[in-house]
Structure formats: structure tokens, C-alpha cells
Amino acid sequence: MKYVILIADDEAEIRDLLRLYLENSGYDVLEAADGLEALAILKKEHVDLAVLDVMMPRMNGLHVLKKIRETSNIPVLVFSAKDADSDKILGLNLGADDYLTKPFNILELKARIKALLRRSRAGQKQQAQPDSKLVCGHITLDRDARDAYNDGQLVDLTAKEFDLMELLMRNPNRVYSRESLLNAIWGYDTSSDIRTVDVHIRRLREKLERSPAAPEHIMTKWGVGYYFKF
């Protein structure tokens, strides 16, 4: 079965270029010229991954992302001509799984799409295990249902947040550098994207720690990286 990728960008030349490369790589591609058209497609079509441009008419990519995250955890990659950290962090805070700045290298985009789909499919196909639930204090991960709980209350995690939390909980007290987490969770290793890890860690603390400013479990090893304290 082919993966279906939605490309939402108001520039027809970019959509045509991405369609050509992605279809040649074996993907099915759907196109939207603005945010409202993208949402309409998502409501009626099966989509495995969405690529959203930030600057689109009628509804921008970040608003589309916010709407997607109300009902779905499909992988979302956001790209924009803006190179400001604030735009990247805003996209990640809204639930984007990855971010690229225009102009981008098409081979890098394809690599990131492949990595996002691989992680997403692995999570969907995860088989029942005797240790399907990871429990530590007030935090519980149900690996089969891919659900997270804080003091018994269901918490909504994005796919990447869940993957990151699962990796840390399965390997308690092991310190991971930002670069190793990028490679393990996002499927690539580049120092220019280490802020992606920082944003996801902060969101996990906000969602799962009783006191995000004084975490009990999702810890920082200063100058090294992050680890889960059991």
C-alpha cells in the first residue's frame, strides 16, 4: 500500500516539483493551494503525512496544523521561507513533527518524510508485549494504545512526543544527547535542529510532570542531554 502525502503550498511550482519527486519515489500525492483546501482534503481523504507551508492564503499552515492536532496525530512537516527561531518553535509547539526552511534540499525533504513515516508506521504496527505499559510514579505509557496518562488522566501526546517519551522510559537513567535523540526519533542527525528536541522535552514536561519547572522524571544532564529518572 502506498503512503499518501498531502502537499499544501500556494506556489504551484513548488507543488509540481514535490509531486514529481515524491511520485517518482513511490508515494501518492494530494495537493492543496491554501489552508482551507488542505483541511477539506484531510476531512474526506486518507492522508499518512502532511507537508504544510506556513504562508498560505485564507488559512496559514500553522492554523491548519492546530486544526489537525485537534483530531489527528498524523506526522506533519512544516516549511516556511522564514528562518526565525520563533517561527520554528511556534510550529513545534503546535505539534509539528519536523520543520524545514525554504529553500530546502529536495533530498533532505525526502529523507525526513521517509523517517517520519517509518516512525509512524512502526508505532501503529507495534505488537502487544507483556510490558506493554510503562509505569513510573504518576506517569504511565500504554505502548499498545499509544496513550499517556498523568496521575491517571489521559494526556494528548503527538506521535513524536510519544516516541520520545517511550524511548526515555524504556531506558531509564540513560543520558541521551540531543543529536542522538534527533537520530533515534526523527531519523537524522544535524546540530542545526537541536532546538527541536528542546521544544519536545519542554512540552513533555508541561504535559506529564506535576511541576514542569521542577521535574521529577524528565531530567536534564547539563552540557550532555536528557534522561528519564526512574
Side-chain angles (χ1 to χ4, degrees), residues 131-176:
D131 59 340
S132 61
K133 288 189 177 181
L134 300 172
V135 182
C136 182
H138 61 278
I139 300 175
T140 300
L141 283 191
D142 185 332
R143 299 170 66 196
D144 293 337
R146 290 180 66 79
D147 286 332
Y149 298 87
N150 182 353
D151 275 330
Q153 298 296 312
L154 182 64
V155 177
D156 183 27
L157 299 185
T158 68
K160 281 291 175 287
E161 289 169 354
F162 189 95
D163 291 342
L164 179 56
M165 194 64 193
E166 181 186 5
L167 175 65
L168 294 175
M169 287 189 73
R170 281 196 293 106
N171 300 277
N173 302 315
R174 175 178 173 181
V175 180
Y176 289 91

Side-chain angles (χ1 to χ4, degrees), residues 7-199:
I7 303 294
D9 194 302
D10 60 326
E11 297 184 54
E13 290 183 1
I14 290 181
R15 296 199 310 272
D16 291 343
L17 176 66
L18 293 182
R19 172 185 283 277
L20 174 64
Y21 275 94
L22 293 175
E23 287 183 342
N24 285 341
S25 297
Y27 299 111
D28 285 335
V29 178
L30 301 173
E31 295 182 36
D34 58 59
L36 290 181
E37 186 177 348
L39 284 181
I41 291 173
L42 286 162
K43 286 181 180 179
K44 66 181 181 180
E45 301 285 351
H46 169 78
V47 174
D48 293 296
L49 180 146
V51 178
L52 308 176
D53 183 31
V54 170
M55 303 303 293
M56 291 189 293
R58 296 208 293 170
M59 179 181 288
N60 69 41
L62 296 181
H63 281 110
V64 175
L65 171 61
K66 188 175 180 181
K67 288 289 187 182
I68 290 174
R69 286 295 174 250
E70 291 175 359
T71 59
S72 173
N73 278 326
I74 65 168
V76 176
L77 187 151
V78 174
F79 55 63
S80 170
K82 295 183 178 181
D83 196 19
D85 275 351
S86 58
D87 295 308
K88 178 176 181 178
I89 292 171
L90 178 58
L92 294 171
N93 278 332
L94 290 173
D97 296 286
D98 207 348
Y99 189 104
L100 271 179
T101 301
K102 291 181 177 178
F104 51 83
N105 183 299
I106 190 66
L107 296 179
E108 181 179 4
L109 175 65
K110 286 169 62 177
R112 294 195 183 197
I113 286 175
K114 184 177 180 180
L116 288 172
L117 288 171
R118 182 175 66 246
R119 295 291 306 184
S120 176
R121 184 60 67 188
Q124 293 171 14
K125 289 185 175 181
Q126 188 176 39
Q127 299 297 315
Q129 300 287 340
D131 59 340
S132 61
K133 288 189 177 181
L134 300 172
V135 182
C136 182
H138 61 278
I139 300 175
T140 300
L141 283 191
D142 185 332
R143 299 170 66 196
D144 293 337
R146 290 180 66 79
D147 286 332
Y149 298 87
N150 182 353
D151 275 330
Q153 298 296 312
L154 182 64
V155 177
D156 183 27
L157 299 185
T158 68
K160 281 291 175 287
E161 289 169 354
F162 189 95
D163 291 342
L164 179 56
M165 194 64 193
E166 181 186 5
L167 175 65
L168 294 175
M169 287 189 73
R170 281 196 293 106
N171 300 277
N173 302 315
R174 175 178 173 181
V175 180
Y176 289 91
S177 68
R178 293 173 176 86
E179 290 80 9
S180 64
L181 289 173
L182 275 173
N183 188 51
I185 303 302
W186 282 266
Y188 58 92
D189 184 355
T190 169
S191 59
S192 64
D193 291 286
I194 59 174
R195 293 289 297 275
T196 299
V197 176
D198 296 337
V199 170

